[in-house]
Amino acid sequence: MSDAELRRMVDWTVEDPPPEARVGRVLGGLFHAVSAVVTLGADAALGARPASWSLPADPAGHLGLGVLELRWPDPAPAEPVEATREAVWVAGPGRPARRLPVETWRVVRAVPGTGSRRPRQSAAPWRLELTDGSVTGSLTGAWLALAWIGHLAGWPEPAPSS
């Protein structure tokens, strides 16, 4: 599964990157490969994982959505989030995974990361502020990853806030 294939599965707008970003991705990939060798895998040890946008054949298999973090409630420490074709999970180290009731939440604010001319491209960073009616939290990650979670949850595409 590629970025384009996953984009077709979500209802939210996902913009194409500008031509210069494609060149930057190639150079960035080369830099990342060199950096990984030089740092002897420190990125992997820290849990950094670039999005592969992979959608496994197994519905229970985790998608390659990159780094997603949930703070629930908002001042709580960030917890890593994973998603399958069917559900969204918090999968913190040393703790059992727990399913998140994203279908009961709603987006109250969407804040794009800075520096992008096209903030709704796949890898653009965003933060969604969420509520279940009594608790407020936030979910951060790449736009396409958040669009996938919104797809699973049934959320409408949010308008950006500043």
Side-chain angles (χ1 to χ4, degrees):
M1 174 80 30
S2 69
D3 169 310
E5 292 168 312
L6 190 59
R7 287 168 52 170
R8 283 192 292 273
M9 297 179 75
V10 299
D11 294 331
W12 293 11
T13 304
V14 182
E15 299 171 337
D16 291 326
E20 61 272 14
R22 290 183 208 124
V23 172
R25 265 196 312 243
V26 170
L27 294 174
L30 179 61
F31 176 76
H32 182 73
V34 170
S35 173
V37 170
V38 170
T39 61
L40 301 174
D43 287 348
L46 294 173
R49 60 189 192 284
S52 66
W53 309 123
S54 64
L55 185 65
D58 178 5
H62 291 257
L63 281 70
L65 299 178
V67 177
L68 285 162
E69 293 183 333
L70 174 70
R71 293 180 186 277
W72 194 267
D74 209 20
E79 296 181 278
V81 173
E82 297 282 344
T84 66
R85 288 183 185 223
E86 302 167 335
V88 181
W89 303 83
V90 166
R95 288 184 281 179
R98 72 181 191 278
R99 187 167 191 248
L100 296 174
V102 295
E103 59 280 348
T104 66
W105 300 349
R106 67 182 174 85
V107 178
V108 293
R109 189 169 177 228
V111 182
T114 58
S116 176
R117 289 188 355 209
R118 295 186 175 138
R120 290 181 188 242
Q121 61 191 18
S122 297
W126 278 74
R127 185 181 82 244
L128 299 179
E129 293 178 11
L130 308 164
T131 187
D132 65 1
S134 59
V135 175
T136 301
S138 64
L139 182 63
T140 58
W143 177 251
L144 183 54
L146 298 174
W148 179 259
I149 292 173
H151 163 78
L152 291 178
W155 301 333
E157 181 175 345
S161 310
S162 53

